[in-house]
């Protein structure tokens, strides 16, 4: 009996000792829901970065979820907020910035998030055209820049040789481009030129590069009362040129948004103006020599050329919904995720893997130190164009107009009417101005105060 008691006591003591020496169960990480709008393969590359962040520490777990295209992700996030089920972070395309700025308590601004979490990110090192797009008018950072691109010109060197043009000297001005596409047409190229993203490239970029306002109040940065101003001499002249070139078979309208992206890789056109990220597709699909150049400008416009503006998206931190926000641990987790993304090495790798531009100067230097630009000619063009002219101006900083997704469609509709012979450049730009101002006033009434 005594031996049995001693044996049981010994086992009990051993169990107690084991309990005392066993490490405490690890605290569950704070879970951060992250919705994005990048399809494969870019979405997969983004999720690799998320997985690397999760593996780099134990306190936070970011859970990525693809929610469809950018507009679909935007609609889903708004609906989720209303249902008190918004994600902690949502990827929002650049033209949704005005809408997000007016979202009030739905958004947790980056400057506020970082200050409360005690996390520091050097936004002064970010490219001016990138950081400025996502800042309030007083310079405070509202969202976290991530995947940024700009528009560049790609040209077919084989076509240039056929037309007697120097394949290493692409046109720099619209005047030079007009002569080049005539020679390409004469050399047997059915449609020498096209454009993707017609509103972004042929209206927004043209306005910025010539330092003319797309809209008043600093393109909307200075308030909801902005009015559209594309009915100006430079834009009317440019639209009339596009109409004339289309009529003469020198320019081919390839459709809205990025519908024309396939034309250049297939060798159907000699020149295209598209997102700098088209480079990845060209590497996969093209079967000819091609080059990259900056977007052209009109040489007689004073002050031109200036920097182009960005496309792409940024990350917005969201409150859960109308009934409440987040706790401090959740916001701290979001801030740590942002800090990880801001590292030059992380940003540089994303840039080199995807074709998006580096958002930081330090990231640019990382890529340069690895010989990326020497090994991949043309990849520096987009960065140089974004830095052209130094600091941004009120006309080159970006666009902060509410309802701009709808306005872009209006621009494309009026361009299409012009290409169908229904109106000239002046009439098209007047129609855009009038219709867009109706959208802006509706947005202003809904969001004033």
């Amino acid at each position: 009996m005594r031996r049995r008691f001693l044996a049981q006591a010994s086992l009990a003591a051993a169990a107690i000792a084991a309990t005392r020496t066993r490490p405490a169960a690890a605290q569950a990480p704070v879970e951060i829901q992250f919705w994005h709008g990048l399809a494969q393969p870019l979405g997969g590359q983004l999720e690799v970065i998320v997985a690397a962040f999760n593996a780099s520490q134990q306190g936070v777990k970011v859970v990525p979820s693809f929610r469809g295209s950018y507009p679909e992700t935007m609609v889903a996030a708004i609906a989720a907020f209303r249902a008190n089920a918004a994600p902690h972070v949502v990827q929002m395309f650049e033209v949704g910035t005005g809408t997000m700025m007016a979202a009030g308590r739905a958004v947790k601004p980056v400057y506020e998030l970082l200050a409360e979490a005690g996390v520091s990110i050097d936004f002064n090192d970010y490219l001016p055209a990138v950081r400025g797009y996502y800042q309030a008018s007083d310079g405070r950072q509202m969202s976290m820049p991530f995947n940024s691109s700009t528009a560049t010109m790609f040209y077919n060197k084989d076509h240039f040789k056929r037309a007697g043009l120097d394949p290493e000297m692409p046109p720099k001005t619209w005047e030079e481009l007009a002569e080049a596409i005539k020679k390409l047409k004469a050399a047997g190229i059915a449609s020498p030129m096209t454009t993707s993203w017609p509103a972004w490239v042929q209206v927004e970029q043209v306005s910025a590069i010539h330092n003319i306002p797309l809209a008043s109040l600093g393109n909307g940065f200075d308030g909801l009362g902005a009015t559209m101003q594309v009915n100006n001499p430079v834009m009317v002249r440019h639209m009339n040129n596009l109409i004339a070139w289309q009529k003469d078979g020198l320019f081919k309208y390839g459709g809205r948004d990025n519908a024309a992206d396939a034309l250049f890789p297939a060798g159907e056109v000699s020149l295209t103006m598209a997102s700098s990220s088209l480079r990845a597709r060209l590497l996969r699909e093209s079967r000819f020599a091609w080059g990259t150049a900056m977007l052209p400008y009109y040489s007689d416009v004073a002050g031109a050329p200036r920097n182009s503006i960005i496309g792409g998206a940024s990350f917005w931190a969201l409150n859960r919904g109308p009934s409440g926000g987040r706790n401090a641990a959740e916001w701290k987790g979001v801030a740590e995720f942002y800090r990880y993304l801001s590292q030059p090495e992380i940003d540089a790798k994303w840039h080199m893997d995807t074709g998006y531009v580096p958002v930081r100067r330090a990231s640019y230097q990382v890529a340069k130190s690895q010989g990326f630009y020497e090994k991949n000619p043309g990849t520096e063009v987009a960065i140089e164009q974004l830095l052209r002219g130094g600091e941004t101006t009120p006309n080159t900083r970006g666009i902060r107009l509410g309802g701009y997704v709808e306005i872009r469609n209006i621009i494309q509709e009026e361009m299409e009417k012009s290409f169908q012979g229904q109106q000239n450049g002046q009439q098209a730009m007047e129609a855009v101005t009038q219709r867009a101002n109706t959208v802006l006033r509706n947005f202003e009434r809904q969001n004033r105060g």
Side-chain angles (χ1 to χ4, degrees):
M1 182 78 176
R2 185 171 180 274
R3 279 198 298 269
R4 185 184 306 162
F5 174 78
L6 290 173
Q8 290 173 342
S10 178
L11 288 171
I16 291 171
T19 301
R20 287 174 178 170
T21 58
R22 186 183 303 137
Q27 185 175 358
V30 175
E31 192 168 283
I32 303 299
Q33 295 296 323
F34 166 45
W35 292 3
H36 69 84
L38 290 179
Q40 296 292 350
L42 292 172
Q45 291 170 295
L46 173 58
E47 293 185 5
V48 166
I49 293 177
V50 173
F53 167 72
N54 290 340
S56 72
Q57 44 72 53
Q58 296 180 333
V60 183
K61 179 183 179 182
V62 176
V63 181
S65 177
F66 173 61
R67 293 290 165 145
S69 66
Y70 283 146
E72 290 169 340
T73 301
M74 181 178 182
V75 170
I78 292 171
F81 175 81
R82 291 172 178 165
N84 288 303
H88 297 78
V89 180
V90 64
Q91 182 186 37
M92 189 65 60
F93 59 159
E94 88 285 11
V95 293
T97 301
T99 299
M100 296 301 288
M101 287 285 188
R105 60 181 177 172
V107 168
K108 182 77 166 177
V110 163
Y111 73 87
E112 185 179 301
L113 170 75
L114 297 180
E116 291 179 5
V119 171
S120 178
I121 294 175
D122 183 12
F123 286 111
N124 289 325
D125 187 52
Y126 280 63
L127 304 188
V130 173
R131 71 170 185 263
Y133 207 111
Y134 303 117
Q135 287 177 333
S137 57
D138 59 8
R140 293 182 298 179
Q141 202 69 39
M142 297 296 290
S143 65
M144 182 69 193
F146 181 65
N147 57 307
S148 292
S149 62
T150 193
T152 55
M153 182 170 69
F154 298 97
Y155 65 100
N156 187 318
K157 292 186 176 183
D158 294 347
H159 285 188
F160 268 50
K161 290 178 183 177
R162 190 194 310 178
L165 297 167
D166 188 339
E168 304 306 323
M169 293 291 290
K172 294 181 179 179
T173 67
W174 283 107
E175 294 90 340
E176 292 174 358
L177 183 140
E179 293 304 311
I181 56 179
K182 290 175 185 175
K183 291 181 179 178
L184 288 161
K185 182 74 172 180
I189 309 300
S191 301
M193 170 188 163
T194 193
T195 187
S196 288
W197 302 102
W200 182 49
V201 177
Q202 301 302 332
V203 177
E204 297 164 35
Q205 300 288 4
V206 169
S207 296
I209 287 171
H210 294 91
N211 198 23
I212 57 176
L214 183 83
S216 66
L217 297 179
N219 288 348
F221 272 78
D222 296 332
L224 290 173
T227 57
M228 205 72 171
Q229 295 186 338
V230 293
N231 54 343
N232 61 71
V234 173
M235 277 311 313
V236 169
R237 168 190 181 183
H238 184 60
M239 190 56 55
N240 279 329
N241 281 339
L242 291 176
I243 294 168
W245 294 336
Q246 191 267 345
K247 184 178 180 181
D248 294 339
L250 302 172
F251 168 70
K252 180 176 183 177
Y253 178 68
R256 299 185 184 186
D257 299 335
N258 64 340
D261 274 359
L263 297 177
F264 184 74
E268 294 183 32
V269 296
S270 306
L271 291 161
T272 190
M273 295 168 204
S275 169
S276 53
S277 62
L278 182 64
R279 178 179 181 273
R281 182 170 183 174
L282 291 174
L283 291 172
R284 292 194 308 269
E285 299 179 13
S286 65
R287 298 294 181 265
F288 52 85
W290 52 272
T292 311
M294 294 189 190
L295 295 176
Y297 62 95
Y298 290 103
S299 60
D300 58 352
V301 175
R306 297 288 305 195
N307 66 278
S308 58
I309 57 176
I310 61 167
S314 66
F315 294 163
W316 289 82
L318 301 181
N319 280 298
R320 188 184 310 278
S323 65
R326 312 283 186 188
N327 61 44
E330 290 174 286
W331 289 135
K332 175 72 171 176
V334 174
E336 291 296 343
F337 180 45
Y338 284 178
R339 173 157 53 187
Y340 181 84
L341 295 175
S342 75
Q343 295 179 85
E345 294 76 15
I346 301 299
D347 179 41
K349 187 175 188 308
W350 170 259
H351 155 57
M352 292 185 286
D353 287 348
T354 65
Y356 284 104
V357 300
V359 295
R360 296 190 61 164
R361 287 187 172 93
S363 314
Y364 178 33
Q365 293 302 321
V366 169
K368 184 179 287 188
S369 69
Q370 295 180 14
F372 178 72
Y373 304 112
E374 293 178 5
K375 299 171 187 174
N376 301 275
T379 50
E380 223 168 350
V381 169
I383 306 163
E384 293 170 345
Q385 186 175 260
L386 285 171
L387 291 170
R388 185 169 56 186
E391 288 295 316
T392 58
T393 76
N395 298 324
T396 71
R397 187 179 181 184
I399 301 167
R400 185 63 49 74
L401 301 173
Y404 199 71
V405 176
E406 183 178 351
I407 291 173
R408 264 196 180 167
N409 285 331
I410 288 171
I411 294 171
Q412 292 178 140
E413 287 173 7
E414 297 301 333
M415 291 178 77
E416 288 169 351
K417 290 179 184 178
S418 300
F419 297 145
Q420 293 163 4
Q422 299 179 31
Q423 59 189 2
N424 60 31
Q426 181 73 51
Q427 293 167 325
M429 293 298 98
E430 291 288 353
V432 168
T433 300
Q434 181 179 356
R435 294 179 62 192
N437 283 339
T438 298
V439 174
L440 293 174
R441 297 292 70 79
N442 289 339
F443 187 87
E444 181 182 14
R445 282 191 294 271
Q446 294 166 5
N447 293 279
R448 178 63 70 187

